[in-house]
């Protein structure tokens, strides 16, 4: 009988190719999923860059699905803890980008989600540039 060791998945801070060294990406779901706006022109036209990349690299989509299933508040708290650890160690975070893949929820946040999100943003080092793109003016 073969037994498989159960691994506990924990979200990690992402990176992205256009970033400066040490920059991080905070992703919340798979691209084109429940968090993305149905009014997004790229999504409606079938030309979403992120969906294309996820098809070529399924591990990116799997990671996004896991993040969405963890839940927005839980993910915000996990990201906050990882950022605070980096800051405590004296590591520099020169740039933070939201949603290199997937998007933030496409619905009003609950009170717990809003608190977790606000705490996450407050954990960012002072004067760190933040890029927070969304798909539509309505979502912004």
């Amino acid at each position: 009988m073969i037994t498989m060791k159960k691994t506990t998945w924990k979200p990690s801070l992402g990176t992205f190719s256009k970033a400066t060294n040490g920059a991080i990406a905070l992703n919340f779901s798979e691209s084109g999923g429940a968090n993305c706006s149905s009014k997004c022109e790229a999504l409606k036209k079938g030309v979403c860059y992120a969906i294309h990349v996820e098809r070529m690299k399924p591990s990116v989509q799997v990671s996004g699905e896991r993040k969405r299933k963890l839940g927005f508040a839980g993910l915000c708290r996990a990201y906050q803890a990882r950022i605070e650890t980096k800051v405590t160690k004296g590591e520099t975070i020169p740039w933070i980008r939201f949603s290199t893949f997937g998007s933030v929820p496409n619905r009003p946040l609950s009170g717990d989600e809003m608190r977790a999100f606000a705490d996450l943003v407050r954990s960012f080092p002072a004067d760190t540039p933040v890029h927070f793109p969304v798909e539509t003016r309505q979502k912004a």
Side-chain angles (χ1 to χ4, degrees):
M1 175 181 196
I2 298 174
T3 57
M4 300 290 286
K5 182 178 179 182
K6 185 176 180 181
T7 58
T8 303
W9 175 82
K10 293 183 181 179
S12 61
L13 301 172
T15 60
F16 53 108
S17 61
K18 297 182 210 175
T20 60
N21 191 30
I24 60 173
L26 305 176
N27 298 309
F28 296 89
S29 68
E30 67 277 25
S31 300
N35 284 1
C36 290
S37 172
S38 61
K39 294 180 179 166
C40 173
E41 288 301 315
L43 186 61
K44 286 196 306 190
K45 293 177 182 175
V47 295
C48 175
Y49 169 80
I51 290 174
H52 175 71
V53 170
E54 288 181 14
R55 284 185 183 138
M56 292 173 40
K57 296 182 178 183
S59 62
V60 176
Q61 182 176 12
V62 169
S63 176
E65 289 172 355
R66 287 177 172 168
K67 289 171 181 172
R68 177 180 46 79
K69 288 175 182 175
L70 177 61
F72 188 72
L75 194 51
C76 286
R77 287 189 282 271
Y79 284 152
Q80 178 186 351
R82 294 207 180 254
I83 289 169
E84 288 173 348
T85 297
K86 286 177 88 59
V87 170
T88 299
K89 290 179 178 179
E91 295 178 30
T92 302
I93 302 173
W95 185 25
I96 298 172
R97 175 157 183 208
F98 282 86
S99 305
T100 54
F101 291 99
S103 190
V104 294
N106 190 38
R107 57 173 172 71
L109 300 178
S110 70
D112 183 47
E113 290 172 326
M114 282 296 274
R115 281 185 296 281
F117 183 69
D119 290 343
L120 167 63
V121 172
R122 281 193 283 272
S123 75
F124 296 172
D127 300 324
T128 301
V130 176
H131 183 191
F132 192 176
V134 292
E135 311 91 304
T136 64
R137 287 191 182 276
Q138 180 184 11
K139 192 170 185 180

